[in-house]
Amino acid sequence: DSLATVAIIAAVIGAMIPFAIVKIKQKQRVKKFDVQLSDALMLSCSSLRAGLSFTQAMEAISKDMPDPIASEFGTVLPMDEALERLNKRINSQYLPLMVSSVLIQRQTGGNLSSILEGIANSIKEKMKLKQELKASTSAGKTTGLMVGSMPIILCVLFFFVNREFIMPLFTTNMGHIFLGVAAGLEVLCFLAVRKIINIKM
């Protein structure tokens, strides 16, 4: 029974790993996109001031910058619909401002290069502030991770050092209840710590 319980837990964890990896890769791609966005906007400003159209500026970004922003901006044709699709596809907190500004400017007119330059500078300032906040909350994240992982580490240690002591948690109904309560408290503590140290900008 104990081996079956351990096997079920291992199977559940194994099934969750691919989804977690995909989610991490998506977040990494969006994070890299956000970092590149301010430079891309400055490049588009230079292109516009050189007399190129906004479409040509997007083409310059797709040719002169690395992925992921090059491949994403390379799909922005025709302009209006493609910008909307790009906005939905890339879950970036900065891209909607750029997209809405471009679409409004295309309808009402105005100096697009100045608008994009202002957005680029704003993104850089937010990135800088975000890095400072990340540095100031890193200690809290590390502490929360260590405290939250201690019950799991102790459980694994007891499993190898004194298996008879820990096995009732996996073989008895009361043990299953304790495990469920402990797992629930772990999740609540994780969410509480994350709520405290995550500052939305």
Side-chain angles (χ1 to χ4, degrees):
D1 292 339
S2 60
L3 292 176
T5 303
V6 173
I8 291 173
I9 295 173
V12 172
I13 294 174
M16 294 172 61
I17 288 176
F19 295 100
I21 292 174
V22 171
K23 200 69 177 177
I24 291 171
K25 291 291 185 181
Q26 289 176 340
K27 288 184 177 180
Q28 289 176 343
R29 182 177 176 85
V30 173
K31 184 177 180 180
K32 189 173 182 180
F33 180 94
D34 283 341
V35 171
Q36 294 175 324
L37 185 57
S38 60
D39 292 333
L41 292 177
M42 295 305 294
L43 177 59
S44 65
C45 290
S46 300
S47 300
L48 291 170
R49 287 169 179 164
L52 300 179
S53 66
F54 186 70
T55 301
Q56 291 172 320
M58 295 298 99
E59 292 176 353
I61 292 173
S62 66
K63 292 178 181 178
D64 298 338
M65 294 197 66
D67 283 333
I69 202 164
S71 58
E72 294 295 344
F73 273 65
T75 63
V76 185
L77 292 172
M79 186 62 64
D80 292 359
E81 294 180 2
L83 280 174
E84 292 289 356
R85 288 197 300 270
L86 174 64
N87 197 19
K88 293 178 181 178
R89 187 168 63 252
I90 300 294
N91 188 25
S92 168
Q93 60 176 315
Y94 306 115
L95 185 60
L97 179 60
M98 173 260 186
V99 171
S100 60
S101 298
V102 171
L103 295 179
I104 292 173
Q105 187 276 340
R106 286 168 65 84
Q107 295 177 357
T108 62
N111 190 339
L112 182 58
S113 63
S114 297
I115 295 173
L116 294 180
E117 184 177 11
I119 295 173
N121 291 330
S122 176
I123 291 174
K124 286 182 177 180
E125 289 298 321
K126 286 185 177 181
M127 287 280 188
K128 183 179 178 181
L129 179 58
K130 196 170 184 180
Q131 288 297 323
E132 293 175 356
L133 289 173
K134 185 177 180 179
S136 64
T137 57
S138 60
K141 289 182 180 180
T142 303
T143 303
L145 181 62
M146 292 177 61
V147 172
S149 61
M150 283 302 296
I152 300 173
I153 294 173
L154 289 174
C155 185
V156 173
L157 288 176
F158 274 116
F159 185 82
F160 289 104
V161 175
N162 191 351
R163 188 172 299 185
E164 293 181 359
F165 179 80
I166 200 71
M167 287 313 297
L169 290 174
F170 301 96
T171 58
T172 64
N173 291 333
M174 185 61 68
H176 294 161
I177 293 173
F178 283 142
L179 283 177
V181 172
L185 291 174
E186 280 281 312
V187 172
L188 288 176
C189 290
F190 171 77
L191 294 175
V193 172
R194 186 177 181 183
K195 186 76 173 178
I196 292 171
I197 63 178
N198 279 355
I199 303 174
K200 293 184 178 181
M201 295 177 59

